[in-house]
């Protein structure tokens, strides 16, 4: 399942628990469709002209893209990825985020776009590369019938930014906005199908197409209670990472964590 499903699961669990402790029947309405219905639809969609058009977009957008974003590190990249990693937590202040939102309003851009622009400029400075590919997940629940369903709807988008020395930060933001909106418009093509079609250079030392993931969490967040029980949220570090770097941002009252 995906992150959105966690909220659905806890909502259903607490709703059922509250009913069952009072010997009441389930108050949850039946789902209009099941995940199997979505899976069949997606398989059929992949044979459509719309799927071919989206594939053509991605083939054009990623043509000639560099296979690797090489971050400067204190040791050589291993021949085979170990997937060992660690977490570093920090917070961008509310003052900074308010300023970014104000900039976004001026350029008709979202907070995700302004944050990704800053991240891209930092990457250019550290890597010296002007053609940058960053992965970004998208919820994939673009129909109301999917919002209350458990399952995996997430898809990965590849966001490419090409920079020149003459570009201002606002110019980069405009490009990021255009690229992001175009990616959203072509979000349905499964990432696995894109890999099959592009056949990028494969290596055991790094992931294909992109090595950095950039996430701004925007799934509905609520606190849930169970009658007569005390819940405590547990956080843990798995010590593993899927990518060279994953930047996961969550907006909070104090800023962005």
């Amino acid at each position: 399942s995906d992150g959105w499903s966690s909220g659905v699961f806890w909502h259903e669990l607490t709703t059922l628990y509250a009913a069952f402790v009072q010997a009441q029947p389930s108050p949850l309405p039946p789902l209009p469709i099941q995940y199997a219905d979505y899976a069949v639809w997606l398989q059929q969609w992949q044979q459509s002209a719309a799927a071919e058009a989206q594939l053509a977009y991605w083939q054009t957008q990623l043509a000639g893209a560099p296979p690797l974003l090489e971050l400067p590190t204190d040791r050589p990249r291993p021949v085979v990825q170990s997937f060992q990693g660690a977490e570093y937590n920090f917070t961008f202040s509310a003052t900074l985020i308010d300023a970014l939102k104000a900039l976004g309003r001026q350029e008709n851009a979202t907070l995700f776009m302004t944050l990704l622009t800053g991240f891209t400029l930092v990457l250019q400075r550290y890597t010296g590369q002007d053609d940058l590919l960053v992965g970004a997940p998208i919820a994939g629940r673009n129909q109301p019938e999917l919002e209350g369903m458990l399952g995996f709807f997430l898809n990965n988008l590849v966001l490419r930014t090409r920079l020149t020395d003459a570009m201002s930060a606002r110019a980069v933001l405009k490009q990021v906005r255009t690229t992001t909106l175009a990616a959203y418009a072509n979000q349905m093509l499964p990432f696995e199908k894109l890999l099959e079609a592009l056949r990028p250079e494969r290596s055991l030392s790094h992931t294909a197409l992109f090595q950095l993931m950039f996430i701004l969490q925007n799934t509905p967040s609520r606190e849930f209670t169970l009658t007569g029980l005390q819940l405590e949220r547990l956080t843990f570090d798995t010590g593993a990472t899927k990518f060279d770097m994953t930047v996961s941002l969550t907006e909070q009252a104090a800023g962005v964590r």
Side-chain angles (χ1 to χ4, degrees):
S1 65
D2 51 27
W4 185 294
S5 295
S6 298
V8 176
F9 173 82
W10 275 102
H11 165 69
E12 293 191 351
L13 176 65
T14 54
T15 300
L16 292 172
Y17 189 92
F20 292 168
V21 295
Q22 300 180 58
Q24 299 294 321
S26 167
L28 296 175
L31 291 171
I33 61 174
Q34 296 292 325
Y35 189 82
D37 300 317
Y38 167 79
V40 170
W41 172 83
L42 185 59
Q43 289 178 338
Q44 294 173 343
W45 180 87
Q46 291 177 33
Q47 310 304 319
S48 68
E52 292 181 4
Q54 291 201 15
L55 176 58
Y57 163 79
W58 288 111
Q59 288 174 319
T60 301
Q61 173 66 9
L62 300 178
L68 182 64
L69 181 60
E70 195 66 86
L71 290 169
T73 56
D74 60 353
R75 65 194 69 187
R77 178 183 293 276
V79 177
V80 178
Q81 278 182 292
S82 69
F83 299 101
Q84 295 177 3
E87 287 187 1
Y88 176 71
N89 295 298
F90 59 96
T91 300
F92 294 130
S93 69
T95 301
L96 173 61
I97 297 305
D98 288 344
L100 287 176
K101 288 180 176 179
L103 173 62
R105 287 192 292 270
Q106 295 171 14
E107 300 296 336
N108 198 24
T110 64
L111 179 61
F112 173 83
M113 296 170 186
T114 56
L115 288 166
L116 179 57
T117 297
F119 185 53
T120 300
L121 291 169
V122 170
L123 289 176
Q124 182 200 32
R125 175 169 294 186
Y126 275 91
T127 65
Q129 295 175 235
D130 296 327
D131 194 350
L132 307 168
L133 272 65
V134 175
I138 192 161
R141 297 173 187 256
N142 50 12
Q143 299 294 331
E145 296 83 359
L146 305 180
E147 292 182 0
M149 187 182 299
L150 295 174
F152 192 85
F153 298 88
L154 204 70
N155 196 22
N156 289 330
L157 304 178
V158 187
L159 304 179
R160 184 181 187 181
T161 308
R162 282 167 276 199
L163 308 175
T164 65
D165 292 338
M167 292 177 71
S168 66
R170 286 181 183 267
V172 178
L173 176 56
K174 290 180 185 294
Q175 183 185 153
V176 168
R177 178 183 182 275
T178 299
T179 300
T180 302
L181 290 177
Y184 291 166
N186 293 275
Q187 64 175 273
M188 288 305 302
L189 186 75
F191 183 70
E192 294 76 15
K193 294 295 182 183
L194 180 61
L195 288 175
E196 289 177 9
L198 294 182
R199 296 184 179 180
E201 175 187 327
R202 293 290 195 166
S203 172
L204 294 177
S205 68
H206 62 81
T207 52
L209 291 188
F210 66 87
Q211 294 80 44
L212 276 70
M213 178 68 82
F214 190 82
I215 307 167
L216 178 59
Q217 301 284 0
N218 61 356
T219 55
S221 177
R222 291 180 292 174
E223 291 297 326
F224 299 103
T225 58
L226 295 176
T227 305
L229 297 179
Q230 182 176 348
L231 301 181
E232 180 181 356
R233 186 180 299 274
L234 299 179
T235 59
F236 59 92
D237 180 359
T238 64
T241 179
K242 296 178 181 179
F243 303 98
D244 286 3
M245 181 186 295
T246 299
V247 179
S248 182
L249 307 168
T250 303
E251 192 168 3
Q252 301 174 334
V256 168
R257 182 175 179 275

